[in-house]
């Protein structure tokens, strides 16, 4: 284990994305990175199961994606920077995703920010 990550499991709500996680979750992270390509996005929108199967995703990963289980995806090892690509396909902002991950409405989440009128 990376000595810099020792004890991280004791910090609630922290999900490390390190080289081991990156390597273990390469297929699903590549799947999300491909959302930067218009053809990929269109194929996914038209036939999500086919595209996810072609990407080599597991049944569990497909369920996480189709259920839009944002926190589950992060816990599974998806890098948030590639997860944002999928969020844009679904027309969701980062703020909406953060709220969902916390189990809050966007309005309630924004009240916890220093700029509560941010939309």
């Amino acid at each position: 284990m990376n000595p810099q990550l020792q004890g991280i499991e004791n910090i609630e709500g922290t999900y490390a994305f390190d080289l081991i996680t990156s390597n273990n979750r390469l297929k699903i992270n590549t799947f999300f990175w491909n959302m930067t390509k218009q053809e990929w996005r269109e194929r996914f929108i038209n036939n999500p199961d086919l595209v996810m199967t072609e990407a080599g995703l597991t049944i569990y990963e497909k369920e996480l994606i189709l259920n839009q289980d944002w926190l589950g995806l992060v816990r599974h090892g998806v890098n948030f920077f590639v997860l944002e690509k999928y969020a844009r396909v679904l027309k969701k902002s980062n703020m909406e995703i953060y709220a969902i991950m916390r189990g809050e409405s966007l309005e309630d989440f924004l009240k916890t920010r220093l700029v509560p009128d941010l939309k």
Side-chain angles (χ1 to χ4, degrees):
M1 172 185 243
N2 180 337
Q4 294 176 330
L5 296 178
Q6 285 183 326
I8 198 165
E9 66 278 358
N10 299 321
I11 304 172
E12 186 179 345
T14 301
Y15 312 100
F17 185 83
D18 59 5
L19 290 175
I20 293 171
T21 303
S22 177
N23 187 54
N24 289 341
R25 300 295 181 242
L26 185 59
K27 286 181 183 179
I28 192 167
N29 281 296
T30 300
F31 167 82
F32 285 122
W33 176 254
N34 284 334
M35 292 291 174
T36 62
K37 302 171 189 165
Q38 182 176 353
E39 178 186 355
W40 185 268
R41 292 189 304 268
E42 289 172 357
R43 289 183 64 232
F44 175 76
I45 290 166
N46 292 325
N47 195 338
D49 191 59
L50 175 66
V51 175
M52 290 186 293
T53 299
E54 286 177 3
L57 303 185
T58 66
I59 292 170
Y60 177 67
E61 290 169 335
K62 291 177 184 181
E63 289 173 358
L64 288 171
I65 292 166
L66 294 175
N67 292 330
Q68 297 178 30
D69 185 349
W70 304 101
L71 187 53
L73 286 161
V74 170
R75 286 178 174 151
H76 183 64
V78 174
N79 183 301
F80 189 78
F81 294 109
V82 297
L83 193 55
E84 288 177 312
K85 312 309 182 215
Y86 180 52
R88 296 309 169 267
V89 171
L90 301 177
K91 299 183 180 6
K92 293 195 180 291
S93 70
N94 285 6
M95 294 293 172
E96 289 174 284
I97 302 306
Y98 301 151
I100 292 167
M101 287 180 170
R102 288 171 48 123
E104 298 174 347
S105 69
L106 177 60
E107 294 75 24
D108 287 341
F109 174 73
L110 290 176
K111 291 175 187 174
T112 70
R113 305 297 90 192
L114 295 176
V115 284
D117 294 328
L118 180 68
K119 300 278 183 217

